Amino acid sequence: YLDEFEGLTAGIDGNKRRLFYVDWWTNEEKIKAVEIPAYYEFSGQSLNSIASAQISTIKTQLYAGKALKPSVTVTLNGKKLKAGTDYTVSYANNTKAGSTASVIITGKGNYVGTAIQNFEIAAIPAKGKVYTSGNLKYKVTKSAYKNGTVSVYAPAEKTLTSASVPATVKINGYTFNVTAIGDKAFNGCTKLKKVTIGSKVTTIGKQAFNGCKALTSITVNSKVLKTVGASALKGISAKAVIKVPAAKLSAYQKLFKGKGQKNSVKITK
């Protein structure tokens, strides 16, 4: 009758059902369904509404290339309900990063109704955007949920005295490879004394350490460094020592040659 007559409710009130009857209204010459202000419930059963259940909070999810289906705990009147027996689970809008998705709980067996718990899917940091992590700022060079890349853009504060460029960094929950130190990244950081360059850095940009007059120690952990830009080391301390992997000593001596540093700057293993 719910589909045939207007003005009726869903007939559910907690664990109770409202009654209906159909009658002929002669003064209006049509049949009407009338909702009775009384209730019944099945003997020996408890038809509870899932709508009032407590659903566990879902933390922000990271997109991983497929539909996200986080599990939930459903509790009603202090009782933990069982998936598949007391309710079924479905999902909506759960295939795209940066969206609000939903877990839909639908009553089954002795349980009726539905409940929805929303959750967020973290947006993937966009290419060209700058983010701060620790004492460094990073610029996204490849936006991806997996194997994305960033370059060191600048220090969070110009007054830093040491900097460690990591192999990877987490931004908005996603892991990015740190593959470059950008042009002028540490330009004018006059108090910078020590720098460690991570294992995945392939490029040191132009004037990256220009004017870092207190810089005396540079440790290169990367074995995949391919490019060092013009004037990258211009103005660093004349007493600076650049330590590189032993297997790369000869290659890196050539790579760092003539990048603006004094002849007294040593490149050693």
Side-chain angles (χ1 to χ4, degrees):
Y1 292 122
L2 289 176
D3 295 330
E4 298 177 25
F5 300 97
E6 298 179 356
L8 299 180
T9 70
I12 301 171
D13 183 7
N15 65 342
K16 301 174 183 178
R17 301 288 223 219
R18 297 201 73 172
L19 296 175
F20 302 91
Y21 76 90
V22 177
D23 202 355
W24 174 260
W25 291 61
T26 55
N27 63 331
E28 297 185 24
E29 295 186 351
K30 64 179 180 179
I31 295 175
K32 281 187 176 182
V34 180
E35 201 164 346
I36 301 173
Y39 299 88
Y40 73 90
E41 55 186 321
F42 291 104
S43 175
Q45 291 185 329
S46 177
L47 292 176
N48 294 305
S49 175
I50 289 289
S52 58
Q54 291 76 50
I55 304 174
S56 57
T57 301
I58 305 170
K59 67 179 183 180
T60 298
Q61 302 288 298
L62 299 180
Y63 182 69
K66 59 183 180 180
L68 289 161
K69 298 181 178 181
S71 60
V72 294
T73 300
V74 180
T75 305
L76 182 62
N77 299 327
K79 177 185 177 182
K80 182 178 178 181
L81 304 187
K82 186 177 181 179
T85 300
D86 301 322
Y87 64 88
T88 59
V89 182
S90 59
Y91 298 85
N93 200 32
N94 63 330
T95 61
K96 185 179 180 182
S99 63
T100 299
S102 301
V103 179
I104 304 165
I105 306 299
T106 303
K108 183 180 179 181
N110 290 337
Y111 298 89
V112 297
T114 60
I116 296 175
Q117 179 70 289
N118 293 329
F119 64 94
E120 301 298 323
I121 304 176
I124 301 169
K127 183 178 180 179
K129 293 289 186 180
V130 176
Y131 299 85
T132 300
S133 178
N135 63 357
L136 297 177
K137 294 181 180 181
Y138 299 89
K139 187 174 185 178
V140 177
T141 51
K142 178 185 175 183
S143 177
Y145 70 87
K146 184 179 181 181
N147 294 324
T149 62
V150 296
S151 65
V152 177
Y153 180 74
E157 299 288 343
K158 278 276 191 179
T159 55
L160 85 170
T161 58
S162 66
S164 181
V165 177
T168 62
V169 65
K170 281 194 173 183
I171 300 175
N172 207 21
Y174 296 96
T175 299
F176 285 79
N177 295 323
V178 184
T179 59
I181 297 174
D183 294 347
K184 297 184 177 181
F186 294 95
N187 181 58
C189 292
T190 57
K191 295 185 178 182
L192 183 63
K193 298 178 181 179
K194 181 180 179 180
V195 171
T196 301
I197 297 175
S199 62
K200 296 187 178 183
V201 171
T202 62
T203 302
I204 297 175
K206 300 174 183 178
Q207 301 180 47
F209 298 100
N210 180 57
C212 297
K213 61 183 182 180
L215 184 56
T216 57
S217 174
I218 300 176
T219 300
V220 180
N221 291 325
S222 175
K223 295 180 181 179
V224 292
L225 187 63
K226 302 296 182 185
T227 304
V228 179
S231 300
L233 304 176
K234 185 177 180 179
I236 69 172
S237 172
K239 298 179 180 180
V241 175
I242 303 173
K243 292 183 179 181
V244 302
K248 290 290 184 177
L249 179 59
S250 178
Y252 283 7
Q253 283 176 334
K254 294 177 182 178
L255 195 59
F256 280 103
K257 185 178 180 180
K259 302 305 178 183
Q261 71 272 34
K262 298 289 185 180
N263 291 333
S264 56
V265 173
K266 296 179 180 180
I267 301 174
T268 183
K269 61 183 177 180

